[in-house]
Amino acid sequence: MPGRSSTAAYMLLITVTAVGVAEATLLAMLFLFSSILKLKLGVEVGPAGVLFTPPGCCGQVYLYNAATVGSLVFTAGCGAGTAVWKFRHWRPAR
Amino acid sequence: MRVLLRLYPRSWRRRYGREMEVLLEDLGGETGVFLDLAVGAVIAYAAVVRGNRVLSTAAAFLHGVCVAVLLQAIGFVVLVLAGNNGAGILLPVGIGPVHIATFWRSTALLGLEARLSLPAAGVGLTASAMLAALVVALAALLLIPRLVKAPAR
């Protein structure tokens, strides 16, 4: 049986991986939407950023650092909220 | 067809595997049987996950994360729709002094030539279709846990 610290490490690793994959999926979706709508998309990540320019673009959406951080917090918070709710309200199947 | 039984959880195979193999030999390889086996595997795994507190919690976490991603994608499309239908050419979104996002309707503000290859009405229509698809996906995602229920004992 793994100890409490290793269980906590596993949970942290799984949480970080799941949120990372979710954020990458979201970014891919935004790029896809931008290319369909012909919008220039800029995403600020810390001091750097990503700029996507599809051919023939006519508008622009720029997401600042607050959006990036807010997205991470919202995604992790939603996951954690539903997990805590399920853990507390779980009942064995009859 | 027997290979499909490997999709089922080990505990299920230990209990019903032999009976199922005999049944499959009698039924043959029809498409309906293939679909039944695939759907049955999903339901069997759902029963295993529901029966374990830690697995249930992990599944709930992943479900919450998926819902969050869809909600943010919906927010993005709503921003595009609002910016596209708004009066001004610029739509800043923020809370107090904190800037979250900005939508420019054309690249004219940036000193670039605006080439409207996709007209504003076209953008609005496409974005509305995307919004509808995302809302349907969100509804399906919220309904899935209720639809995939353990078989009655």
Side-chain angles (χ1 to χ4, degrees):
Chain A
M1 282 288 282
R4 273 178 180 241
S5 55
S6 54
T7 306
Y10 285 141
M11 282 179 68
L12 187 69
L13 191 66
I14 289 168
T15 305
V16 169
T17 309
V19 172
V21 170
E23 288 295 303
T25 308
L26 178 64
L27 193 63
M29 278 170 81
L30 297 193
F31 281 146
L32 178 71
F33 293 169
S34 305
S35 70
I36 291 170
L37 296 169
K38 307 255 184 250
L39 290 171
K40 199 183 271 190
L41 175 69
V43 182
E44 217 173 61
V45 186
V50 186
L51 189 66
F52 173 67
T53 314
C57 60
C58 57
Q60 182 172 350
V61 179
Y62 199 83
L63 303 171
Y64 299 100
N65 271 327
T68 313
V69 174
S71 170
L72 272 168
V73 171
F74 181 69
T75 306
C78 271
T82 48
V84 168
W85 177 268
K86 177 57 91 179
F87 191 77
R88 291 183 64 142
H89 292 86
W90 183 85
R91 298 279 178 275
R94 280 175 230 158
Chain B
M1 199 64 79
R2 254 191 217 177
V3 180
L4 280 175
L5 286 180
R6 289 185 181 277
L7 293 175
Y8 283 77
R10 198 178 293 164
S11 57
W12 189 95
R13 275 184 283 151
R14 223 177 277 144
R15 193 166 172 184
Y16 304 109
R18 291 280 163 103
E19 290 173 47
M20 201 63 181
E21 279 179 13
V22 174
L23 191 65
L24 283 177
E25 278 174 15
D26 292 344
L27 286 172
E30 291 171 21
T31 318
V33 177
F34 174 85
L35 282 175
D36 272 351
L37 280 175
V39 172
V42 173
I43 292 171
Y45 264 107
V48 170
V49 169
R50 277 170 197 269
N52 184 304
R53 191 174 198 169
V54 175
L55 286 179
S56 266
T57 305
F61 177 82
L62 290 179
H63 191 246
V65 163
C66 290
V67 169
V69 165
L70 274 179
L71 282 175
Q72 288 171 83
I74 287 172
F76 178 81
V77 178
V78 166
L79 170 71
V80 172
L81 270 173
N84 198 53
N85 296 329
I89 204 164
L90 191 74
L91 177 68
V93 179
I95 304 168
V98 181
H99 298 290
I100 294 174
T102 305
F103 177 84
W104 285 270
R105 200 188 290 180
S106 81
T107 50
L109 271 182
L110 303 173
L112 303 168
E113 191 185 340
R115 289 192 300 156
L116 300 173
S117 55
L118 196 59
V123 171
L125 210 64
T126 316
S128 300
M130 276 178 186
L131 187 61
L134 284 169
V135 169
V136 168
L138 182 64
L141 190 64
L142 291 173
L143 283 175
I144 280 173
R146 290 172 215 285
L147 293 176
V148 183
K149 285 200 171 174
R153 289 178 191 170

